[in-house]
Amino acid sequence: QVQLVESGGGAVQPGGSLRLSCAASGSPFSVYVTGWYRQAPGKQRELVATISSDSGPTYADSVKGRFIISRDTAKTTAYLQMNDLKPEDTAVYYCRAVQPQGILWGQGTQVTVSS
């Protein structure tokens, strides 16, 4: 069974940076990590960034110019470099992957931005 594991979250002051990682494990055949989402308390899960080999990365307007998504050659590991973090970025961050059986989500990693 394929699993997605996020890491790299934590607490940071406004203006700081974090890098999140998402790795597929457990025989990740035909599994492609495609993007990052986040969910803040009391809010719906929202798209943060996506990555595609043919169309390139996309970003939510709220993170453009601050976040950068990347992926390894095998497409089984993705990263989210988060710069100039703001309190509004506080949320649980989830990575998303696709496989022949359907969509796969990680368990999430907490990011807290406060002074």
Side-chain angles (χ1 to χ4, degrees):
Q1 294 290 325
V2 177
Q3 295 182 350
L4 296 181
V5 180
E6 301 98 336
S7 62
V12 65
Q13 294 183 350
S17 298
L18 287 172
R19 191 181 79 154
L20 306 183
S21 299
C22 172
S25 63
S27 301
F29 302 111
S30 300
V31 175
Y32 304 121
V33 180
T34 61
W36 288 91
Y37 290 69
R38 68 186 181 187
Q39 186 169 20
K43 300 182 65 177
Q44 293 183 322
R45 185 175 299 186
E46 65 176 349
L47 174 68
V48 176
T50 64
I51 188 166
S52 173
S53 297
D54 53 2
S55 61
T58 65
Y59 300 93
D61 288 342
S62 60
V63 306
K64 283 183 179 178
R66 299 189 296 119
F67 291 10
I68 302 172
I69 188 171
S70 60
R71 188 169 63 178
D72 68 0
T73 302
K75 304 177 183 179
T76 55
T77 304
Y79 307 92
L80 186 68
Q81 179 66 45
M82 304 185 295
N83 300 315
D84 191 24
L85 283 162
K86 304 177 182 299
E88 308 91 87
D89 297 318
T90 296
V92 178
Y93 285 71
Y94 301 88
C95 64
R96 175 187 180 273
V98 295
Q99 59 180 334
Q101 295 83 358
I103 298 172
L104 184 65
W105 295 94
Q107 293 183 339
T109 184
Q110 176 71 49
V111 172
T112 302
V113 185
S114 63
S115 59

